Amino acid sequence: MPEAQPDVAWSDLPNKGQLAIICLARFSQPVVRTSISTYVFYQLQALDPSKPPDVIVRDAALLQTVFTLAQGCTAVLWGHLADSPRGGRKLVLLMGLGGSFLSTLAFGFITDFRQAIVIRLVEGAVNGNTAMIRTMVSEVIKERRYQAKAFILMPICYNVAAITSPVIAGLLANVGTNSDLPFFRRFPYSLPAIASASVALAAFLFVFFKLKETHEEARHKYDPGLHISSTIAALCRRSPKQQPYSVVTQQEMDEESVQFVGEEVEMDSLNEQKEVKKQTLPLRRLFTRNLCLTLAAYGIMEGHVAVYNTLWPSFLSDPVAAPQDAHVQLPFRFVGGLGMPVDKVAISLAFAGILGIPLQFFGYSRVIKRLGMLKTWRTFLRGFPLVYFVIPYLSVVPSSSPRPAPRDGFWVWAAIFFAQALMMFSASFAVPSQIVLTNNASPHPSALGRTHSTAEMVNSFTRTVSPIAAGLFYSYGSAHGVTGLPWWIMSGVTIIACILSLWVFEGNGHEIRLETDESDEE
């Protein structure tokens, strides 16, 4: 039986200021990503109006593929730099935020597709933000009883950004495309790009001036951002009426001498500690059995969630098959989607986001308290095979309109909301639990950055390959009378993740002990 988690209120979280800055950095990432995805089709179409829609869709997918591949290829390098005393978490995070700011801003001013490719390639190559944010959360919030609430803030930030950013980007894109100003005629999508880049810039400035380094050795280095902000704060606090000189009493002189002697003793002890250089876990010892199993389950989860995000709107938009072409032979032979227009597809997507936020904000900590982290993860992983198995049957649910009209009516929407609710219940509890378990599966504190970066590398690969494979299976299944083929394959893959979860245990982040660890304990 898992130990019950202690009851922790949101107000009990320590280091709220540092955590708020990390949340802002996390919020800026989906703002940039979802903002671009909102108008990228129309932006590419404006670059070359002669291209057919299917080519534009392919180009838009290529931009995302380039980004994720570049991100995966450099993830381990950024993790190595983050774990090095010469680098640190903050440096890697600043480089990623700076890259997001510059690339997002530049994307609004592209004049051909090759520029877009280069921009997304560079942005992905310098972007190690997700891994660094998860690493810093675990180091800012060290006590295990607070980590469930701290880590759930990250997907909440993502969901808020995913709901608000597309709406704002769409409105700003309409302003630019409908404007008569010469600037907007040349760069019609510069306005949403500038707005998204400003969020990344704000996150960069807050991190630079206010966020403290969390790496145990790198945090003792000189930090120009913190020095500048503390200097400005000291100047603002200085009162103009304050007397520059005052009489020093004998008691104050005695206190200063005692303090000076104390500082000498403290400096001597610090010098002695520096003589013992802490060991770093070598890469060959990083991949323990528990970490490998956890990363495999994590990669599967990121892959099928990416497929869902890609395939779900396409399935809802896929035209309904005519009666003579439907070939409905239950349980597995039928073709076609639901044929829904864009506004109704958007309603289903908005429902998922609106449902996910309260589940994570109010429900997650209660479930963790009752079940524990590991059992919560295992329990809600089982929802994915079920939801992927039932989704294809939405196309054969009784509709108020006959084929080939778009599917509509009470039963259709009830089935859609049931599928979305099951998906969000599973994801809202399984995904943050997976992040915490991955964090705790790190075999040593010195390998924490590399652990999250390796996870990001694996996830980038699965997020890239899985949607492409699902698209091929969807085309093949539709051509052979089995539209549900990719969904049912994905259901089977998620069962593998459920089986793998049975061999995963909840680590403590310090599975391997080094010689200097023993000296620290003494």
Side-chain angles (χ1 to χ4, degrees):
M1 291 291 292
E3 295 183 3
Q5 299 290 322
D7 192 12
V8 174
W10 289 104
S11 58
D12 295 333
L13 287 176
N15 298 323
K16 296 182 184 65
Q18 295 293 290
L19 193 59
I21 298 173
I22 297 174
C23 286
L24 176 61
R26 181 69 184 105
F27 175 79
S28 69
Q29 298 307 291
V31 164
V32 169
R33 187 177 306 174
T34 58
S35 173
I36 291 178
S37 64
T38 302
Y39 58 83
V40 65
F41 178 89
Y42 302 100
Q43 187 176 17
L44 296 179
Q45 190 177 51
L47 294 178
D48 189 355
S50 63
K51 284 186 177 181
D54 59 327
V55 175
I56 296 175
V57 171
R58 183 199 65 191
D59 290 345
L62 181 60
L63 290 177
Q64 181 61 27
T65 301
V66 165
F67 174 83
T68 54
L69 280 178
Q71 190 178 41
C73 290
T74 59
V76 176
L77 297 176
W78 294 127
H80 181 75
L81 179 62
D83 281 339
S84 170
R86 296 182 179 180
R89 327 297 196 201
K90 183 174 178 178
L91 175 63
V92 175
L93 183 58
L94 283 172
M95 293 178 69
L97 290 172
S100 293
F101 164 67
L102 294 175
S103 59
T104 304
L105 184 64
F107 199 86
F109 298 90
I110 58 174
T111 55
D112 60 60
F113 183 65
R114 289 173 297 179
Q115 294 176 356
I117 287 287
V118 172
I119 289 172
R120 295 295 283 168
L121 180 67
V122 173
E123 181 184 6
V126 301
N127 194 313
N129 294 353
T130 302
M132 287 309 100
I133 286 169
R134 291 170 181 171
T135 302
M136 296 186 82
V137 168
S138 67
E139 293 174 331
V140 168
I141 310 296
K142 290 184 177 294
E143 293 187 53
R144 298 281 289 276
R145 63 194 183 106
Y146 296 121
Q147 286 188 349
K149 282 192 178 293
F151 274 102
I152 196 63
L153 288 173
M154 301 304 109
I156 289 175
C157 291
Y158 181 93
N159 285 334
V160 172
I163 293 173
T164 58
S165 181
V167 176
I168 297 173
L171 293 174
L172 294 176
N174 286 333
V175 171
T177 53
N178 296 324
S179 176
D180 295 329
L181 295 176
F183 176 80
F184 287 121
R185 287 182 182 177
R186 186 178 181 185
F187 305 110
Y189 297 96
S190 59
L191 200 56
I194 293 172
S196 301
S198 65
V199 176
L201 177 61
F204 177 90
L205 294 176
F206 270 97
V207 169
F208 180 73
F209 287 112
K210 302 300 292 182
L211 186 64
K212 298 176 182 177
E213 174 62 60
T214 59
H215 188 280
E216 190 172 356
E217 296 180 55
R219 65 185 177 185
H220 299 297
K221 296 192 307 181
Y222 171 73
D223 190 321
L226 293 179
H227 177 74
I228 294 171
S229 62
S230 62
T231 302
I232 295 174
L235 291 174
C236 294
R237 285 195 300 266
R238 183 175 296 174
S239 173
K241 295 181 180 180
Q242 185 177 357
Q243 294 293 334
Y245 303 104
S246 60
V247 178
V248 180
T249 64
Q250 183 64 37
Q251 181 182 357
E252 289 174 338
M253 292 178 63
D254 294 339
E255 289 176 353
E256 285 189 5
S257 62
V258 171
Q259 182 180 2
F260 180 74
V261 173
E263 287 178 354
E264 280 188 334
V265 173
E266 184 179 354
M267 289 300 297
D268 291 339
S269 62
L270 284 175
N271 291 331
E272 291 176 1
Q273 290 178 8
K274 287 181 180 179
E275 292 177 0
V276 181
K277 186 178 181 181
K278 293 190 176 182
Q279 289 179 301
T280 300
L281 187 73
L283 184 62
R284 65 179 183 276
R285 300 184 65 186
L286 173 64
F287 297 100
T288 61
R289 180 175 180 270
N290 188 51
L291 179 60
C292 290
L293 290 171
T294 305
L295 291 179
Y298 199 178
I300 291 174
M301 177 184 289
E302 286 289 320
H304 70 70
V305 170
V307 170
Y308 173 82
N309 291 334
T310 303
L311 212 56
W312 174 256
S314 300
F315 175 65
L316 295 182
S317 305
D318 195 7
V320 178
Q324 65 274 16
D325 301 325
H327 305 301
V328 179
Q329 297 179 14
L330 296 177
F332 299 118
R333 295 193 65 84
F334 51 88
V335 296
L338 278 72
M340 289 186 166
V342 175
D343 56 342
K344 292 187 177 180
V345 174
I347 290 174
S348 74
L349 297 176
F351 172 76
I354 293 171
L355 179 63
I357 292 175
L359 277 176
Q360 293 170 336
F361 197 82
F362 299 107
Y364 181 74
S365 58
R366 289 180 171 87
V367 173
I368 290 295
K369 179 185 175 183
R370 184 177 182 85
L371 300 180
M373 190 68 65
L374 185 61
K375 191 173 182 179
T376 298
W377 178 57
R378 289 173 176 169
T379 300
F380 286 92
L381 277 181
R382 299 167 188 168
F384 293 119
L386 178 59
V387 68
Y388 295 146
F389 184 81
V390 302
I391 279 178
Y393 294 100
L394 296 178
S395 64
V396 295
V397 170
S399 173
S400 60
S401 53
R403 292 175 181 273
R407 314 296 284 172
D408 205 353
F410 172 79
W411 293 110
V412 172
W413 281 102
I416 289 175
F417 287 147
F418 170 77
Q420 287 283 71
L422 184 58
M423 179 66 187
M424 292 312 300
F425 266 96
S426 301
S428 296
F429 295 98
V431 172
S433 298
Q434 175 74 76
I435 296 172
V436 176
L437 289 171
T438 303
N439 178 81
N440 295 341
S442 176
H444 192 267
S446 65
L448 190 59
R450 283 173 289 168
T451 297
H452 284 292
S453 296
T454 303
E456 188 61 27
M457 180 187 69
V458 173
N459 296 342
S460 296
F461 176 76
T462 56
R463 284 196 300 260
T464 301
V465 174
S466 299
I468 297 174
L472 294 175
F473 282 121
Y474 191 82
S475 299
Y476 178 85
S478 298
H480 292 78
V482 192
T483 297
L485 181 62
W487 295 106
W488 295 325
I489 290 176
M490 197 156 57
S491 179
V493 172
T494 54
I495 291 176
I496 296 175
C498 293
I499 295 172
L500 288 175
S501 70
L502 299 177
W503 281 279
V504 173
F505 64 86
E506 185 175 359
N508 59 5
H510 211 144
E511 182 180 345
I512 297 177
R513 296 282 174 176
L514 301 176
E515 293 179 1
T516 51
D517 298 337
E518 296 176 359
S519 64
D520 289 342
E521 290 175 359
E522 293 174 0

